[in-house]
Amino acid sequence: MTTKLHKDIVRYVEHNLYHYHEYIREIQRLRNDILYGVKLTTDENVGGGRSNLPSSPTERRTIELLTHRRLETLERVTHAIKTVYEALPDEKRKLIKLKYWTKPQRYTWDGIAEQLCVTRITCLRWRNEIVYAIAELLGETDA
């Protein structure tokens, strides 16, 4: 039994579900920019001693990969979604595909329920369970 989440957390998780595939592409782009891009974070400490970054480009890129905040956040969110999605039975996976990953959005909750041969209330209950499981992995629940 799941507990009720604050509506802002539900919106946050649903937003991430809607943009999951974009996040996957963004992660790959960020990694490529860090690994193969010519522009690395430069030390702006002009005349103030030595930089705390290693002089080796490989080491600098590794450190940037490990400390890049946007990349870390996207990886954490996509990992949580993927983990929950892969653990779901087929009908709940189909709910995610129909509601969040079909572009343009073609179905209302009633239409999704009809596609899945369940009631609208069942769809909403499943959605709540899925959102709660993702929020829990992201550390967004009170429990």
Side-chain angles (χ1 to χ4, degrees), residues 108-135:
T108 63
W109 281 113
D110 291 322
I112 293 170
E114 188 176 313
Q115 290 288 317
L116 297 173
C117 301
V118 295
T119 65
R120 180 178 187 271
I121 298 300
T122 299
C123 281
L124 293 172
R125 186 172 40 84
W126 288 354
R127 186 267 322 253
N128 291 341
E129 291 169 4
I130 292 165
V131 167
Y132 185 86
I134 293 169

Side-chain angles (χ1 to χ4, degrees), residues 31 38 45 48 61-62 68 71 81 92 106-107 129 132:
R31 282 185 183 158
V38 292
N45 186 12
R61 287 184 175 112
T62 302
H68 195 284
L71 180 61
I81 292 171
K92 292 181 182 180
R106 296 190 307 227
Y107 300 107
E129 291 169 4
Y132 185 86

